[in-house]
Amino acid sequence: LSLLIVHAGCDEHEHTYEDGEEVVLWMNTVGPYHNRQETYEYFSLPFCRGPKTTIGHYHETLGEALLGGELEFSGLDIDFKGDVTKTEYCQVELTEEKYQAFVYAVKSHYWYQMYIDDLPIWGIVGEIDEGGDGFYIWTHKKFDIGQNSKQIVDVNLTSESKVKLEPNVK
């Protein structure tokens, strides 16, 4: 008689945080609003990455693997229950190529998806003015992260600072 004991170790991801603990903002996809199956990596558009280059841990869950998502670290430094004032962390010079990429995204009504603590967040890249010849992008993202005790319970995104796209301008 033989006895086989199998211990399955798994990461439960309890979604609980201590004050000041790292919270990771994951960038997922970007694509046209009117065709949700057409998606690209978030950083396929010339968006800025945050200054932070590493995170404390990342364990892809089975669900993430099965969905085929390619989450990319945003580079933003977010702490649980941390209050951050509006901060500029980068500038992009709009070369002709980058300008055309953003104009195409705005004309095609591109939206993007991000995640904080497995909660999805959606936002729109930009908008066209009423005359149809001016293209704008939102350059600031404000996150309101709701918590209950040690858990994140909701995330709201407000896009701010609408800037007109012009080639060869920062």
Side-chain angles (χ1 to χ4, degrees), residues 31-161:
Y33 179 78
H34 301 293
N35 183 2
R36 298 281 176 122
Q37 278 66 44
E38 181 184 348
T39 60
Y40 307 97
E41 292 179 3
Y42 178 84
F43 289 112
S44 65
L45 284 178
F47 288 118
C48 290
R49 288 184 189 264
K52 189 174 177 183
T53 58
T54 60
I55 56 175
H57 67 284
Y58 174 59
H59 305 287
E60 182 178 51
T61 65
L62 178 60
E64 290 168 358
L66 292 174
L67 287 173
E70 292 294 326
L71 302 179
E72 295 183 70
F73 176 49
S74 65
L76 297 180
D77 192 13
I78 302 172
D79 295 327
F80 186 66
K81 294 187 180 178
D83 193 14
V84 178
T85 60
K86 186 174 180 176
T87 305
E88 180 179 309
Y89 61 87
C90 74
Q91 291 185 354
V92 173
E93 180 156 349
L94 288 181
T95 63
E96 185 64 29
E97 183 180 344
K98 290 177 181 178
Y99 168 77
Q100 291 299 333
F102 275 129
V103 167
Y104 181 82
V106 172
K107 280 183 178 179
S108 301
H109 305 284
Y110 271 32
W111 62 280
Y112 52 85
Q113 184 180 39
M114 305 176 281
Y115 289 95
I116 289 181
D117 197 46
D118 286 341
L119 296 171
I121 308 160
W122 292 275
I124 190 141
V125 172
E127 64 182 41
I128 305 170
D129 70 8
E130 290 183 20
D133 56 354
F135 304 97
Y136 297 84
I137 62 169
W138 302 100
T139 61
H140 180 72
K141 296 168 181 50
K142 177 183 174 189
F143 295 95
D144 289 313
I145 301 173
Q147 69 263 347
N148 183 5
S149 185
K150 296 182 175 191
Q151 294 182 308
I152 294 174
V153 294
D154 74 331
V155 180
N156 290 307
L157 170 70
T158 305
S159 297
E160 299 177 340
S161 301

